[in-house]
Amino acid sequence: MRGQGTSAALALLLWAGTTACAREHPQVAKTPPSPHRTRIVFKHQPLWGDEAPFRALLRQFERTHPHLEVVTEHIPNAADVAHQYFLTALEGGASDFDVLVVDVVWVSEFARAGWIADISGAFPPETLREAYFVGPVEAVVVEGRTFAVPWFVDVGLLYFRTDLVPRAPRTYAELERFATQAMARQPGLAGYVWQGRQYEGLTCNVYEAFWGRGGETMEGGRIALKTPPMSQALAYLRGLLTSGVSPPSVTSAAEEEVRRTFQQGNAVFMRNWPYAWSELQAPGSPVRGRVGWAPLPTESGEAGAGTLGGWQLALNAHTPPERREDALRLIAHLASADANLLMALHYARNPPRRSVYAAPALHDGAPFIASLLPAIERARPRPVTPYYNLVADILQSEFSAAINGIRTPEAAMERAQRLVDHLMEEAP
Amino acid sequence: MTGQDASRAERLQAAFLVAPAVLVLAAVALFPILAAVWLSLHRSILVFGEERFIGVENYAFLLRDTRFLTALGNTAYFTLVAVTVELLLAMPLALLMNRAFPGRGLLRASVLIPWAIPTVVAAKLWAWMYNPDFGLLNQLWPGRDVNWLGTPGLALHAAILVDVWKTTPFVALLLLAGLQGIPQDLYKAARVDGAGPWRVFWRITLPLLSPALLIALLFRTLDAFRVFDAIYVLTEGGPANTTETLSIYAYKTLMRSGNFGYGSTLSVVTFLCVVLLALGYLRLLGRSGVTR
């Protein structure tokens, strides 16, 4: 009710603004925002790098759809700030944007809250399953209905120094041994750096250590926390800190802090996302040419699963029916295989589609991304639940308490399980 | 008769003139507060898609919520230590700035730099200085790898240090204004009577400065109690919620989790704490005004 009032007032203001402008500058009428050209607004995070290829992608759409005008608007880069923006805008019933980007852990929440539209008609779950990797499809299909289309994916990787260790470690024991040996040869070196600050990155790191011990995220529809693999995972991460394999700075580190430490040549191993690769191999990087990546280690030695990250394209549930068809066409265009390739070549965004990894252009233009295929196929999502943001808050503080030694892993997970179960019970 | 009429007309006119201001205040201050109180009596979680009246259940849960008690303790500790240290540092700074010496203008201007930097920028700056691997603080202090923001117990003190660095100049400036309001005659008389500098400070400066001191205390306590931006940038409340203040807990509950009911409860309680603090100070201030 109040939301409608404000958006009506805003619309009025905007209308007044546009008419005023039209009156003041009649000469701009060469390319008029003519009444028969519909505006489709796309909200996304800044892409970084040269905007030109992305602009060309949008213009291509406008050429094939002359009755449409595509307008892009940026949202904040930090995921939690972007989430807050969508939470307030969509709960308030905003309809001033049609297509939006959604983090892999939000789809379920946004769908449940009725903020993004069911687009199964245009993108049936079966067709998505054929074209896309399992992880992203699991994230965008909620109770058998499609609510978003994968745009690009991310996955946790292990980076290692090829000059300091014989090969990538396959087990946790190997990782610790290699790190200790390298540290003994070169004092001042850190062994393994990862993201231990109390935030979403810590949750990703804990889940990777959990899956590497055979942990299952959900058990009978319940988020399983009080389990032996989870206690072992937390004890392992705490142990890395107490044994000195990981420096104490890890408990306050996010992606960029550890990337800098590793790039300065001060660490043997690093857990990070694929974005770090181009930074590490950039001209002038102290570790250029001495870095390799591998799947994360596991207890048994088989290749580990990294946490699935990435962004999807969704349709605003408040978009009026007359714009829906066109907005869906824009989503289809942006999520096409060609667009996936363009995003990989120009913005280093990993395609969510299997077929793109076979494209010769990807192997020539972005060989690193092409090589990620096995890691992306194994990527696993964090708990898929509409209440993820409520759960994440509990997980972050209890994980942090466990790796800092404030509570034992068992006590922390006891608490976390109780709070999460309580939350889920209350859910209608 | 006519005099009464005139004063009535005058009162009416006065009411009429302040009405717009009162209406604006009611709309931008009173309405949101009442709305928050109303929301705090509901169970309202956006994703659950439900909103129902539950009376004081949220407040009952609050009393059992250990995370709330930790946040309240953190906030109180932060406020107490930060404000005390700021006053102790600001006092000599203000006395120094009050003296005539070459370069006084430069000192007054340069002292204000931390205050002039936006809090988020300053906090980001400090976050890099605190970085254990290549931060300035550990470079200056080689051999000791202190993990300022990652060690429970230390992180809150690191945040206090940032707040002290940032707001001591503001307190000093308030005290300086107070110092300049003290008549010079008193100091001259004291000197004639042969009072030493220590005695002058305790018997003249401090008593006459007390209104300014109280104002500074009031401003700083209320500000520190609502601290959000500096800590949010430094630690986001980590490690293990050891730096989580009431504002950060309320923000996370409201904006991250979308739990509007309980988030509003936390906001209302924070507001009540601040109101109580303010009332306490205002009483003290009133008393000090009377003795003067």
Side-chain angles (χ1 to χ4, degrees):
Chain A
M1 179 73 197
R2 214 165 70 221
Q4 274 169 12
T6 41
S7 51
L10 261 175
L12 201 72
L13 268 174
L14 278 173
W15 173 79
T18 45
T19 46
C21 286
R23 228 170 281 141
E24 275 168 41
H25 309 284
Q27 71 272 28
V28 192
K30 266 180 223 159
T31 50
S34 54
H36 45 266
R37 258 187 110 198
T38 313
R39 268 167 70 104
I40 302 289
V41 179
F42 174 38
K43 282 252 186 218
H44 66 98
Q45 290 164 314
L47 284 170
W48 310 120
D50 182 13
E51 282 249 311
F54 186 64
R55 294 272 141 234
L57 182 71
L58 296 175
R59 263 199 300 279
Q60 191 195 347
F61 179 74
E62 285 179 331
R63 267 201 305 280
T64 48
H65 300 80
H67 65 292
L68 295 180
E69 181 194 5
V70 178
V71 179
T72 61
E73 286 172 8
H74 283 174
I75 53 164
N77 202 44
D80 55 332
V81 188
H83 181 266
Q84 181 187 332
Y85 168 79
F86 283 133
L87 185 121
T88 43
L90 294 171
E91 182 62 17
S95 59
D96 57 334
F97 56 90
D98 309 297
V99 178
L100 59 147
V101 290
V102 184
D103 191 318
V104 72
V105 288
W106 303 346
V107 183
S108 190
E109 175 195 7
F110 282 26
R112 177 76 159 75
W115 296 335
I116 52 179
D118 180 345
I119 53 175
S120 309
F123 306 95
E126 311 81 66
T127 33
L128 292 187
R129 281 203 184 93
E130 279 163 29
Y132 293 96
F133 295 114
V134 182
V137 174
E138 237 178 89
V140 299
V141 176
V142 181
E143 285 162 16
R145 311 294 297 168
T146 308
F147 281 89
V149 181
W151 196 24
F152 52 81
V153 292
D154 238 342
V155 58
L157 303 174
L158 180 75
Y159 290 87
F160 65 98
R161 286 278 300 279
T162 50
D163 55 333
L164 295 178
V165 293
R167 61 176 167 80
R170 295 195 190 100
T171 63
Y172 298 118
E174 232 171 39
L175 180 137
E176 284 186 60
R177 198 173 68 240
F178 287 176
T180 323
Q181 284 164 357
M183 289 162 80
R185 283 195 303 273
Q186 196 177 318
L189 199 65
Y192 178 33
V193 291
W194 40 283
Q195 293 85 40
R197 181 184 163 125
Q198 182 181 341
Y199 81 121
E200 196 51 28
L202 171 62
T203 309
C204 295
N205 279 263
V206 173
Y207 265 103
E208 284 158 358
F210 169 64
W211 295 322
R213 289 171 171 77
E216 286 298 328
T217 318
M218 310 290 280
E219 274 173 14
R222 174 172 182 252
I223 299 175
L225 297 167
K226 217 180 97 186
T227 62
M230 186 55 94
S231 297
Q232 289 159 16
L234 290 168
Y236 157 73
L237 292 172
R238 171 75 189 146
L240 289 175
L241 290 160
T242 48
S243 70
V245 170
S246 292
S249 61
V250 158
T251 56
S252 58
E255 285 86 358
E256 268 306 85
E257 283 87 356
V258 297
R259 202 264 300 162
R260 277 164 208 267
T261 302
F262 188 79
Q263 188 154 348
Q264 290 305 312
N266 295 335
V268 188
F269 297 113
M270 166 177 76
R271 184 269 175 205
N272 215 326
W273 305 96
Y275 90 98
W277 180 261
S278 56
E279 306 277 345
L280 299 173
Q281 295 290 42
S285 158
V287 295
R288 186 185 156 111
R290 294 185 286 152
V291 187
W293 75 267
L296 290 153
T298 58
E299 188 74 54
S300 68
E302 62 186 312
T307 303
L308 177 78
W311 293 80
Q312 342 296 322
L313 300 166
L315 174 68
N316 183 349
H318 307 294
T319 291
E322 65 270 18
R323 287 210 300 267
R324 288 206 170 197
E325 281 306 307
D326 293 321
L328 286 172
R329 282 194 195 108
L330 177 65
I331 293 181
H333 178 76
L334 288 171
S336 69
D338 286 346
N340 286 161
L341 186 62
L342 177 137
M343 294 289 289
L345 295 176
H346 295 280
Y347 304 103
R349 305 300 163 110
N350 313 307
R353 236 179 237 277
R354 243 181 242 113
S355 66
V356 181
Y357 289 84
L362 188 72
H363 287 265
D364 296 340
F368 170 68
I369 293 180
S371 74
L372 287 176
L373 179 66
I376 290 174
E377 277 185 318
R378 263 193 310 274
R380 292 174 72 165
R382 285 155 275 172
V384 178
T385 151
Y387 315 109
Y388 186 72
N389 270 284
L390 292 131
V391 171
D393 200 35
I394 299 168
L395 294 186
Q396 288 171 18
S397 49
E398 293 309 318
F399 287 163
S400 177
I403 67 156
N404 279 293
I406 292 178
R407 281 188 275 287
T408 63
E410 289 76 18
M413 287 307 98
E414 175 88 49
R415 259 172 81 120
Q417 187 76 64
R418 187 160 40 83
L419 290 167
V420 168
D421 286 349
H422 173 71
L423 185 79
M424 293 308 201
E425 274 161 29
E426 287 204 338
Chain B
M1 192 68 191
T2 44
Q4 230 175 21
D5 266 0
S7 82
R8 236 187 91 185
E10 216 165 82
R11 271 211 305 277
L12 213 73
Q13 193 189 15
F16 185 70
L17 286 174
V18 295
V22 170
L23 279 177
V24 168
L25 268 179
V28 302
L30 197 63
F31 173 70
I33 291 170
L34 293 179
V37 172
W38 180 241
L39 254 177
S40 75
L41 301 175
H42 287 75
R43 178 177 161 83
S44 164
I45 302 178
L46 290 188
V47 271
F48 287 7
E50 65 163 333
E51 178 156 353
R52 63 188 161 88
F53 187 81
I54 52 165
V56 292
E57 220 171 89
N58 280 331
Y59 291 90
F61 180 75
L62 186 95
L63 294 176
R64 286 180 282 127
D65 183 4
T66 47
R67 189 165 166 197
F68 163 73
L69 296 175
T70 313
L72 182 66
N74 287 342
T75 312
Y77 184 80
F78 177 90
T79 307
L80 186 75
V81 177
V83 175
T84 310
V85 174
E86 279 157 23
L87 273 181
L88 289 179
L89 289 178
M91 184 59 105
L93 202 62
L95 289 171
L96 185 69
M97 286 196 290
N98 196 31
R99 296 195 159 239
F101 63 90
R104 184 173 75 162
L106 197 70
L107 176 76
R108 282 183 178 180
S110 58
V111 148
L112 270 179
I113 290 175
W115 179 245
I117 298 176
T119 312
V120 170
V121 177
K124 203 78 206 160
L125 220 109
W126 275 90
W128 281 115
M129 292 207 291
Y130 280 135
N131 183 296
D133 293 326
F134 30 81
L136 184 69
L137 288 178
N138 279 1
Q139 303 280 334
L140 290 176
W141 195 359
R144 293 217 42 185
D145 260 352
V146 184
N147 186 17
W148 299 92
L149 298 176
T151 314
L154 193 58
L156 191 59
H157 292 95
I160 289 174
L161 181 59
V162 174
D163 195 68
V164 166
W165 174 82
K166 170 108 182 78
T167 43
T168 300
F170 173 68
V171 181
L173 217 66
L174 282 178
L175 296 185
L176 179 63
L179 283 175
Q180 292 189 328
I182 301 174
Q184 287 303 308
D185 310 0
L186 290 173
Y187 288 110
K188 280 183 196 151
R191 215 173 301 141
V192 169
D193 290 342
W198 203 233
R199 219 176 139 88
V200 168
F201 177 77
W202 283 109
R203 289 300 171 91
I204 298 178
T205 311
L206 207 55
L208 290 181
L209 197 59
S210 64
L213 256 171
L214 272 173
I215 297 256
L217 258 173
L218 174 75
F219 275 157
R220 282 306 308 141
T221 311
L222 299 195
D223 251 5
F225 204 83
R226 293 171 305 154
V227 64
F228 174 80
D229 38 11
I231 297 187
Y232 191 75
V233 171
L234 288 170
T235 62
E236 282 180 65
N241 290 344
T242 50
T243 58
E244 188 171 78
T245 60
L246 284 177
S247 300
I248 290 180
Y249 187 20
Y251 165 81
K252 283 184 176 171
T253 311
L254 277 167
M255 304 317 287
R256 267 200 199 169
S257 312
N259 187 346
F260 279 28
Y262 193 57
S264 299
T265 308
L266 290 169
S267 308
V268 168
V269 168
T270 312
F271 170 74
L272 288 179
C273 290
V274 170
V275 167
L276 281 178
L277 280 171
L279 285 178
Y281 276 122
L282 288 177
R283 276 190 73 147
L284 276 177
L285 209 61
R287 207 174 294 153
S288 86
V290 170
T291 50
R292 226 178 132 191

